[in-house]
């Protein structure tokens, strides 16, 4: 075992041991980490900025000391003086390895920028936003009627719009008088009225008739990705959708790793809160620029998120969510001023609404799916699955709705995969393997051509073929199973066993080569035995969660399956079924709902009644806690097989009969494992 320091990169999850004194940029290049640099390591371009993390990281098995990197040097100081580095940032070409360290590569330092796959889904929404604009004519001041400007504005709103009561904070009062006079007593005000009762808060005021629009953000705050939709509060139209990686990944790829970080590092929860709030401010600025609007016109934000992200956004230590009984600080919907959450990149008086959580591990994101897809109004039994680093699962019909979450981990998003990467141009996203020849063909993000079609090389010359993203690895494993390269247990066969030289030795196991461009200086992209195991663990957790809900409902089959989120939009139902990610069902009864959680957030942003509706609905949903259910482990173990050890998957068998193969790492002949068992039995 190497005694050199361990360097772990996030969000890629790639790691390796490097001698003391190795520049971080060098370590990144040797591991194939996506870290940019155009100046040759001279500290000029600043594209190799990284963020080191310190403290205990049980997930990675390291404790990072403050001395893990070399001291701040003159090159970094010179760059900081001239252009400025964000607090905590270092230059990867200058900082060298001195001890075990966890390094986060921020989005702007990545060569291949992420593609936001949680796009907005078209949906007809009845517009009744909490924040609206009103044009009024205000009486001029009169010596004989000594009332204040705010009081006369309130009177004008009551007379002209039947708005009984308003309130305004000090920042609004400081601009009220000059705006009234500039508008010659005709002004437009933005009023926030979250409920029918109670005073309306004056969010903004403009002289004359304001025609510049009013906007809100619907944000799906995920463990791995933060996706935002800039929405017109007058029409409901989505002007722009954007997203970025959740910077908390450097503290832990999954939720329990982050809870553990908060437990073991004093102040760790505050670090994670600050990181995610800064990221939301960055995202707000970027999406406003993309939508070509003034950020000050963003007056409201609606968040949906899992319980751990919910607590960290609010600045609440999530430690209680890491241990039974998984108590939330509050499960109710929350309304707070944006400034209370340090969200400074929008209107200074903007408001925030966070949907209610369902239970300790079933959050506002699951509530948003329930709001969007309405399982409680379905006549047939529908299973809804929204998969990310944490899976939200709903099962229900008009009689009853059940919900749970399942810790699938980041493998479905390309993390912890040997050639894995986030969804970015150049990443393999689709793959097919010929059953006869065992040869693959694939498509990459950024090109509509398949790899065996004319023009593919030219179409991908700019992006290259860089790795494989979540949808790609799922399809690759399923295709390998259908092509007989993989047996039911998940074992990859040898070249002799499978009949293809693409199955190559890899230590004591084998890997399947999808693409090899090493001769041209490119990467070798493979599916390893470790990749298969990571996908098996993730899909088993997903299936076990769904199966628990079916047990609670007392059913063996569901009528429909709805796939939600980026997972649902980019994974074919057939491949999901071959893997055994979801219970068996007729293929024509498996559909995609797109980004259902994001749609739920938009509905809540645009319609006040929808907020009241979901606040009532979550009280009627039965929560099933996977962490304490004894049968979860039983279902999990059975689901490790591909597609499943005991469920025959009859509907799948009709469309994709799977080869009956069995491999063994100690032999090169198919079926030898079975023969050896028979010999032992004899």
């Amino acid at each position: 075992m190497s005694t050199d320091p361990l360097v772990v990169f996030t969000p890629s999850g790639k790691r390796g041991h490097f001698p003391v004194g190795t520049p971080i940029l060098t370590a990144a290049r040797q591991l194939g980490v996506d870290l940019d640099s155009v100046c040759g390591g001279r500290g000029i371009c600043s594209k190799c900025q990284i963020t080191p993390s310190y403290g205990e990281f049980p997930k990675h098995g390291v404790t990072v000391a403050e001395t893990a990197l070399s001291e701040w040097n003159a090159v970094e100081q010179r760059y900081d003086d001239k252009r400025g580095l964000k607090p905590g940032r270092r230059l990867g070409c200058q900082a060298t390895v001195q001890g075990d360290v966890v390094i986060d590569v921020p989005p702007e330092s990545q060569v291949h920028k992420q593609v936001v796959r949680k796009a907005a889904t078209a949906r007809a929404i009845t517009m009744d936003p909490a924040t609206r604009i009103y044009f009024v004519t205000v009486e001029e001041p009169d010596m004989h009627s000594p009332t204040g400007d705010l009081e006369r504005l309130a009177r004008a709103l009551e007379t002209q719009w039947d708005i009984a009561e308003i309130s305004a904070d000090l920042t609004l009062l400081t601009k009220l008088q000059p705006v009234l006079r500039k508008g010659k007593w005709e002004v437009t005000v933005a009023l926030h009225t979250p409920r029918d009762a109670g005073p309306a808060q004056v969010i903004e005021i403009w002289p004359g008739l304001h025609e510049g629009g009013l906007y809100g953000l619907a944000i799906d705050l995920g463990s791995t990705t933060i996706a935002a939709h800039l929405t017109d509060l007058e029409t409901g139209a989505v002007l722009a959708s954007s997203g970025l990686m959740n910077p908390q990944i450097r503290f832990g790829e999954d939720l329990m790793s982050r809870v553990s970080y908060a437990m073991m590092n004093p102040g760790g929860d505050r670090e994670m809160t600050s990181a995610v709030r800064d990221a939301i401010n960055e995202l707000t600025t970027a999406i406003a620029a993309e939508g070509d609007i003034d950020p000050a016109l963003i007056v409201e934000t609606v968040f949906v998120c899992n319980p751990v992200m919910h607590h960290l956004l609010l600045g609440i230590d999530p430690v209680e969510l890491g241990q039974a009984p998984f108590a939330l600080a509050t499960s109710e919907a929350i309304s707070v001023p944006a400034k209370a959450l340090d969200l400074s990149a929008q209107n200074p008086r903007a408001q925030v609404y966070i949907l209610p959580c369902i239970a300790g591990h079933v959050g506002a994101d699951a509530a948003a799916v329930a709001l969007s897809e309405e399982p409680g109004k379905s006549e047939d039994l529908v299973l809804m699955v929204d998969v990310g680093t944490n899976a939200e699962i709903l099962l229900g019909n008009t009689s009853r709705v059940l919900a749970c979450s399942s810790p699938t981990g980041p493998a479905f998003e390309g993390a912890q995969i040997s050639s894995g990467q986030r969804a970015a141009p150049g990443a393999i996203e689709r793959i097919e393997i010929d059953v006869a020849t065992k040869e693959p063909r694939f498509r990459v993000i950024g090109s509509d051509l398949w790899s065996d079609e004319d023009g593919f090389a030219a179409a991908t010359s700019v992006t290259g073929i860089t790795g494989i993203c979540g949808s790609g690895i799922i399809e690759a494993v399923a295709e390998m199973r259908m092509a007989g390269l993989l047996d039911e247990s998940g074992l990859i066969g040898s070249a002799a066993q499978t009949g293809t030289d693409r199955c190559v030795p890899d230590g004591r196991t084998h890997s399947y080569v999808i693409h090899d461009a090493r001769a041209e200086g490119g990467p070798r992209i493979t599916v390893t035995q470790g990749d298969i195991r990571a996908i098996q663990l993730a899909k088993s957790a997903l299936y076990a969660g769904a199966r628990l809900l079916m047990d609670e409902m007392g059913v063996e089959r569901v009528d429909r399956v709805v796939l939600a989120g980026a997972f649902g939009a980019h994974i074919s139902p057939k491949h999901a079924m071959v893997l055994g990610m979801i219970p068996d069902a007729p293929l024509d009864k498996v559909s995609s709902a797109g980004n259902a959680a994001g749609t739920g957030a938009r509905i809540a942003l645009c319609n006040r009644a929808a907020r009241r509706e979901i606040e009532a609905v979550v009280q009627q949903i039965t929560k099933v806690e996977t962490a304490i259910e004894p049968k979860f482990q039983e279902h999990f173990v059975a689901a490790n097989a591909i597609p499943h050890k005991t469920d025959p998957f009859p509907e799948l068998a009709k469309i994709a009969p799977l080869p009956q193969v069995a491999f063994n790492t100690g032999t090169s002949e198919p079926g030898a494992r079975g023969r050896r068992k028979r010999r032992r039995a004899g």
Side-chain angles (χ1 to χ4, degrees), residues 177-224:
Q177 292 191 308
V179 169
L180 280 169
R181 284 149 183 83
K182 183 177 180 180
K184 297 180 180 179
W185 307 102
E186 291 185 334
V187 295
T188 304
V189 293
L191 297 184
H192 180 69
T193 315
R195 305 277 178 180
D196 291 330
Q201 181 180 350
V202 184
I203 300 294
E204 192 54 89
I205 184 168
W206 299 271
L209 177 63
H210 171 70
E211 297 180 292
L214 201 65
Y215 305 97
L217 289 176
I219 296 183
D220 181 359
L221 177 55
S223 310
T224 302

Side-chain angles (χ1 to χ4, degrees), residues 140-216:
E140 296 187 37
D142 187 336
M143 290 282 291
H144 303 290
S145 180
T147 55
D149 285 352
L150 179 64
E151 287 70 32
R152 278 180 284 102
L153 173 63
R155 193 159 60 220
L157 284 164
E158 183 174 16
T159 302
Q160 297 164 39
W161 290 100
D162 199 26
I163 295 169
E165 186 180 1
I166 64 170
S167 65
D169 72 4
L170 183 59
T171 64
L172 192 287
L173 285 175
T174 59
K175 64 186 299 184
L176 175 63
Q177 292 191 308
V179 169
L180 280 169
R181 284 149 183 83
K182 183 177 180 180
K184 297 180 180 179
W185 307 102
E186 291 185 334
V187 295
T188 304
V189 293
L191 297 184
H192 180 69
T193 315
R195 305 277 178 180
D196 291 330
Q201 181 180 350
V202 184
I203 300 294
E204 192 54 89
I205 184 168
W206 299 271
L209 177 63
H210 171 70
E211 297 180 292
L214 201 65
Y215 305 97

Side-chain angles (χ1 to χ4, degrees), residues 650-671:
E651 295 294 337
L652 174 63
K654 296 176 184 177
I655 58 166
L658 302 178
Q660 297 301 309
V661 295
F663 303 131
N664 185 280
T665 55
T667 180
S668 60
E669 295 182 18

Side-chain angles (χ1 to χ4, degrees), residues 345-664:
Q346 47 195 283
N347 189 284
R349 290 165 294 279
Q351 300 296 302
V352 166
Y353 176 80
I354 305 175
L355 270 69
C357 292
I358 296 175
H361 279 165
V362 188
D365 45 4
V369 173
L371 175 60
S372 172
E373 300 305 310
E374 301 180 316
K377 297 180 181 179
S378 174
E379 292 296 331
D380 52 5
L381 186 61
V382 57
L383 177 72
M384 296 178 177
V385 182
D386 190 348
V387 176
T389 305
N390 204 59
E392 286 74 44
I393 308 171
L394 297 167
L395 176 67
N397 53 22
T398 52
S399 65
R400 193 182 183 199
V401 177
L402 311 177
C404 74
S405 70
S406 200
T408 51
F412 286 150
E413 304 197 38
Q416 298 179 344
I417 301 300
S418 60
S419 298
Q421 66 168 86
R422 304 301 175 186
I428 294 173
E429 64 169 341
R430 297 289 312 281
I431 183 169
E432 294 177 354
I433 299 175
D434 188 281
V435 174
T437 66
K438 317 299 183 188
E439 286 296 301
R441 65 194 293 257
F442 54 83
R443 275 175 36 187
V444 301
I445 295 174
S447 173
D448 291 330
L449 296 175
W450 287 86
S451 57
D452 59 353
E453 293 180 328
D454 292 339
F456 176 80
T460 58
S461 60
V462 175
T463 63
I465 302 166
T466 55
I468 188 165
C469 67
S471 61
I473 190 64
I474 289 170
E475 291 200 5
V477 177
E479 287 284 326
M480 289 172 68
R481 181 72 179 94
M482 288 189 288
L485 302 170
L486 194 70
D487 68 13
E488 182 189 71
S489 72
L491 197 63
I492 301 173
S494 66
Q497 291 169 325
T498 61
T500 175
D501 290 339
R502 286 186 175 271
C503 288
V504 297
D506 189 356
R508 297 180 60 189
T509 59
H510 296 89
S511 295
Y512 177 74
V513 179
I514 296 175
H515 175 71
D516 192 347
R518 290 177 298 176
E520 296 84 37
R524 186 193 204 204
I525 299 171
T526 62
V527 178
T528 69
Q529 193 64 65
D531 298 339
I532 301 293
R533 295 305 183 216
I535 292 297
Q536 283 178 289
L537 292 173
K539 75 98 175 179
S540 298
L542 178 58
Y543 180 93
R547 187 69 228 188
L548 272 183
L549 297 189
M550 293 166 67
D551 289 348
E552 179 70 20
M553 191 71 80
V555 299
E556 288 297 317
R557 292 285 181 264
V558 299
D559 298 320
R560 290 190 295 125
V561 179
V562 176
L563 307 178
F567 162 75
H570 296 277
I571 303 301
S572 78
K574 178 181 175 181
H575 290 102
M577 202 79 76
V578 168
L579 274 185
M581 296 174 70
I582 54 178
D584 189 51
L587 206 58
D588 62 353
K589 295 296 184 180
V590 183
S591 62
S592 170
N595 183 14
T599 299
R602 284 171 46 227
I603 293 171
L605 176 66
C606 295
N607 188 283
R608 293 183 301 167
R611 300 183 185 186
R612 295 192 293 273
E613 178 186 345
I614 194 58
E615 288 168 14
V617 164
V618 296
Q619 302 299 322
Q620 301 160 12
I621 295 176
T622 301
K623 304 90 178 175
V624 176
E625 185 54 70
T626 57
I628 59 174
E629 283 289 339
K631 290 201 73 175
F632 181 84
Q633 189 65 22
E634 178 184 327
H635 288 313
F636 180 88
V637 171
N640 260 247
I642 302 175
H644 197 272
K645 190 66 177 175
T646 56
D647 189 334
F649 273 65
E651 295 294 337
L652 174 63
K654 296 176 184 177
I655 58 166
L658 302 178
Q660 297 301 309
V661 295
F663 303 131
N664 185 280

